[in-house]
Amino acid sequence: MSKTISHPFLDGRPKRLLIGGEWIEAASGETFDVFNPSTGEVIATVARGGAEDIDRAVAAARAAFEGPWSEWKPFDRQTLMLKIADAIEREFDDLGRLETLDMGAPVARTSLFKRWMLQTLRYYAAQAVSIKGEVLENSVPGSFFSYTVKDPVGVVGGIIPWNGPLITQLWSICPTLATGCTLVLKPAEEAPLSALRLAEIMMEAGLPAGVINIVPGPGHTAGAALAAHPDVDKIAFTGSTATGRKIVEASASNMKTVAVELGGKSPDIVFDDADLDIAIPGAAMACFNNTGQVCYAGTRLFVQRGIHDAFVERLGAFAKTLRVGDATDPQTQLGPLASQAQLDRVNGYLAIAESEGARIVSGGGRPAGAAEGGYYVEPTVVADVSNSMRIAREEIFGPVVSVIPFDTEADAIALANDTDYGLGGGLWTSDVGRAHRVSRKIRTGMVWINCYGVTDPSIPYGSAKMSGYGVKGGPGHIEEYLYKKTVWLRTG
């Protein structure tokens, strides 16, 4: 482990799996290293979970679900969630910095997560005491009373990606606790540390053994075992479309319910009547935020032809002003990519872009002065792109925006929808009528107008087409962790 890293959680001791309230080694005894993306240095060693560990974690989750946890009342679950929120509020500085060291998000970005995490936990805590069924009038001859209740689905398998685990894990943890389900969470190998530390915080706040279990490990072993496990009742997956297909196929083993948030190649449309002083930085950060490692990033930037050339020039100039560097530096705006594999992927797509005739306007290289060993790439603006090129069709997951011209409103809508994906989308215009027309015609789960990437845990968002299905946020998210039961009572 690098001696240059100072963090209370990174104490040199290997990190273990959390199963049934106990911190244990992987059944295989294997471990893997976790790297600081800013420097490439090893900062921790973590137990590598596998299929046997998933079996143990699911058994622990099942025992908890059918045991004392099932007797907890909504108020008790709400109280626990509020205690967890209070604990996170106290511990957040170290928790946020751990995320920075683990996956490379700048401290300027992770510091913003505090409000979001607290809001999310406290919102779902309110939902815990708001679950209700219905009394339904029936027309059966005789005297019968009919009503519905909503019960927790059972054991949930949560599989989260590496591009923002500190907040992504709450999309599984919060509805699990609010509804009375139990959870086996598999964080990605590239960034498992914030999930392990948050589990410690939850246990200290009074989380019962087995309610939340954490098993970091490879997707092809631990993730596959969780997706196919016959005693898991629901899978909540965030990740690539290719893996999502496998998750859905595996769910058929016992007809699990599934929610999958998958890849994106989101359109961002700039009309010639847009306020460019807002649209240029807004469209840039729609792609570059989190170093482009956001599933709904606005990576296909459609600009109306009359302003296209000037827009591209100003966009490139803006990209050059962004400070790229060590994620622990408070002045850093864009950190490194999360891994060497991701850096290789982004560089590979830049080579493909040039081979297809696209032109790199700015960026595309390693930032001057970047730390040796870090996984850095400059924010990159690519012009002379057509919507048929690979960089406009395939998810790059890096700070690479492809600028594509269009002529009319109808052209913009057709180009925006000419993709397999349907996660996010945006448009920039001063015409209110156009804003409503275009937003209704773009086939995506989210649309932002004169802004991009705004989210709130109380506001639902979903997906369309190959970007998956299921809801995150809002009361509908809670409903996906419950099933409706109808009860008939003969009263006479």
Side-chain angles (χ1 to χ4, degrees), residues 22-44:
E22 300 292 333
W23 295 98
I24 62 176
E25 305 293 340
S28 66
E30 295 180 356
T31 61
F32 62 93
D33 290 332
V34 177
F35 298 87
N36 176 0
S38 292
T39 64
E41 297 171 308
V42 175
I43 57 173

Side-chain angles (χ1 to χ4, degrees), residues 183-370:
L183 175 68
V184 177
L185 184 72
K186 194 208 81 66
E189 284 184 287
E190 292 87 347
L193 300 181
S194 63
L196 295 170
R197 176 59 188 133
L198 182 58
E200 284 186 347
I201 292 172
M202 291 191 293
M203 294 289 289
E204 292 163 2
L207 178 73
V211 172
I212 304 289
N213 305 272
I214 312 292
V215 185
H220 67 277
T221 53
L226 187 58
H229 202 288
D231 207 23
V232 170
D233 302 295
K234 173 183 174 62
I235 288 289
F237 171 78
T238 302
S240 72
T241 297
T243 303
R245 286 194 186 98
K246 296 177 182 178
I247 296 289
V248 173
E249 291 168 1
S251 72
S253 63
N254 67 332
M255 301 302 291
K256 297 175 181 65
T257 61
V258 180
V260 285
E261 181 188 329
L262 308 176
K265 198 67 183 175
S266 298
D268 199 14
I269 305 169
V270 182
F271 290 96
D272 57 12
D273 63 350
D275 182 338
L276 298 190
D277 290 337
I278 297 174
I280 287 169
M285 298 313 295
C287 176
F288 299 150
N289 192 27
N290 202 35
T291 317
Q293 299 168 125
V294 178
C295 50
Y296 54 69
T299 53
R300 291 186 302 142
L301 181 57
F302 299 103
V303 180
Q304 201 153 20
R305 198 174 300 275
I307 61 170
H308 174 272
D309 293 350
F311 191 96
V312 168
E313 183 178 350
R314 289 182 61 181
L315 185 67
F318 177 84
K320 291 176 182 177
T321 69
L322 295 172
R323 181 165 178 172
V324 183
D326 192 306
T328 61
D329 183 347
Q331 301 304 311
T332 293
Q333 294 170 283
L334 298 185
L337 292 160
S339 66
Q340 181 63 52
Q342 195 59 25
L343 177 60
D344 293 342
R345 176 183 176 87
V346 171
N347 286 333
Y349 271 104
L350 292 177
I352 290 169
E354 291 189 297
S355 72
E356 291 184 327
R359 171 172 57 94
I360 295 178
V361 175
S362 65
R366 186 177 180 84

